Amino acid sequence: MVATSTSKAPFGRVLTAMVTPFTADGALDIDGAQRLAVHLVDAGNDGLVLNGTTGESPTTTDAEKDDLVRAVVAAVGDRARVIAGVGTNDTAHSVALARRAESSGAHGLLTVTPYYNKPSQEGLYQHFTAIADSSGLPVMLYDIPARSGVPIETETIVRLAEHPRIIANKDAKGDLAAASWAISRSGLAWYSGEDMLNLPMLSIGACGFVSVVAHLVAADLCALFEAYTGGDVTKAAEIHQRLLPVITGIFRAQGVVTTKTALALRGLPAGPVRLPLVGLGAAQTEQLKQDLAAGGVDL
């Protein structure tokens, strides 16, 4: 048996960072969201993250976020953990979103590093602490400096881990050395937030994935996880390599745009993206089809 922290996966092991389906005219598609959530859980996901980056959180209203959480909890909340993204670059706003997510039935919170205003590490510490203090829900930090502009440094992660409700981190930093130290020192449940690093993250102690490609290949990710934790590293590597075209294809362009295109090609609820995002062109769509086919995804 390979030694990992897989016994500590409080939000599940394979989670999809779910898109927010819209109708053709751009309105929130509640029925579509429920159907997509059921499909994703049936496919093997044991958690769903709503209102995150892939959920187009910057362009959905607070009321839409509430409605989405309530709808998905009603559809699959008895079978999967529903995690609500509440991260903004305004601490008071994030606190309000956290309280609303709790009242809407979410099982946990995802809190991204504040973006654009580039706070200090002390500012990050106080921001995340205020959110964790504001509700009774467990919290997953989300470290993605390529989008936020500021990393959560290891010392800050260790400090935050002392909070009783901050129990996990979604790591999209892309730094395995930093992750190794932070996992070792913080004791947090660690989730890979970068699909290309799902397998390497398991090797240093991650307990699961918060994935975009799990919209399409959740069963494969479950098989990868089970193979690795069951000691069959060769099989896990084979699955990882087979999925490389899918991962590459989904991230050739903005992940929300490609994922919604892929879902639409498969007849699943997705709808358009909201500005400033725009849909794929014909050439990009054809490339995506080729990438998905190369990775074994049926369209």
Side-chain angles (χ1 to χ4, degrees):
M1 181 71 70
V2 175
T4 70
S5 58
T6 53
S7 62
K8 181 184 178 185
F11 295 116
R13 289 172 168 78
V14 178
L15 297 83
T16 291
M18 196 177 100
V19 301
T20 300
F22 299 132
T23 60
D25 63 358
L28 181 64
D29 182 359
I30 287 294
D31 176 68
Q34 290 186 313
R35 287 187 288 119
L36 179 59
V38 169
H39 167 80
L40 292 173
V41 174
D42 287 346
N45 287 278
D46 52 3
L48 299 174
V49 176
L50 310 179
N51 298 323
T53 307
T54 314
E56 295 179 75
S57 60
T59 53
T60 56
T61 67
D62 291 0
E64 288 174 326
K65 290 177 173 66
D66 287 348
D67 290 344
L68 181 65
V69 171
R70 291 180 189 277
V72 172
V73 169
V76 298
D78 60 337
R79 296 196 291 144
R81 305 289 285 175
V82 178
I83 313 306
V86 298
T88 72
N89 60 354
D90 173 356
T91 304
H93 188 196
S94 290
V95 164
L97 288 175
R99 290 170 176 161
R100 292 178 69 154
E102 184 175 33
S103 67
S104 296
H107 302 131
L109 306 175
L110 180 77
T111 58
V112 72
T113 315
Y115 40 84
Y116 186 71
N117 44 19
K118 299 184 76 170
S120 66
Q121 293 300 305
E122 181 60 28
L124 294 182
Y125 174 79
Q126 294 192 27
H127 171 83
F128 290 125
T129 298
I131 296 169
D133 284 344
S134 68
S135 85
L137 294 178
V139 171
M140 180 189 294
L141 306 173
Y142 181 13
D143 188 10
I144 183 166
R147 287 185 180 272
S148 68
V150 177
I152 313 175
E153 295 179 359
T154 298
E155 293 298 332
T156 306
I157 292 172
V158 171
R159 288 180 69 197
L160 288 165
E162 296 175 1
H163 195 290
R165 282 186 294 280
I166 296 176
I167 63 172
N169 183 59
K170 176 185 175 184
D171 187 338
K173 187 180 286 179
D175 185 338
L176 292 173
S180 297
W181 276 111
I183 292 169
S184 174
R185 295 184 57 206
S186 71
L188 292 178
W190 211 260
Y191 288 84
S192 171
E194 192 167 344
D195 277 307
M196 195 61 82
L197 296 181
N198 285 340
L199 179 55
M201 278 288 182
L202 285 182
S203 74
I204 61 169
C207 67
F209 321 129
V210 178
S211 169
V212 177
V213 300
H215 282 95
L216 307 169
V217 293
D220 294 293
L221 292 179
C222 290
L224 185 157
F225 184 93
E226 293 299 329
Y228 184 84
T229 57
D232 193 343
V233 177
T234 298
K235 181 180 178 181
E238 289 171 351
I239 297 169
H240 169 73
Q241 290 164 11
R242 178 161 47 81
L243 293 179
L244 292 177
V246 179
I247 299 169
T248 298
I250 287 296
F251 293 105
R252 284 187 192 276
Q254 214 279 357
V256 179
V257 180
T258 50
T259 300
K260 282 196 163 183
T261 301
L263 290 172
L265 289 169
R266 302 192 80 191
L268 292 166
V273 291
R274 288 180 176 174
L275 286 170
L277 300 181
V278 296
L280 294 184
Q284 290 176 305
T285 300
E286 183 57 35
Q287 178 65 64
L288 178 62
K289 290 179 181 178
Q290 294 176 18
D291 291 328
L292 297 180
V297 175
D298 295 326
L299 298 176

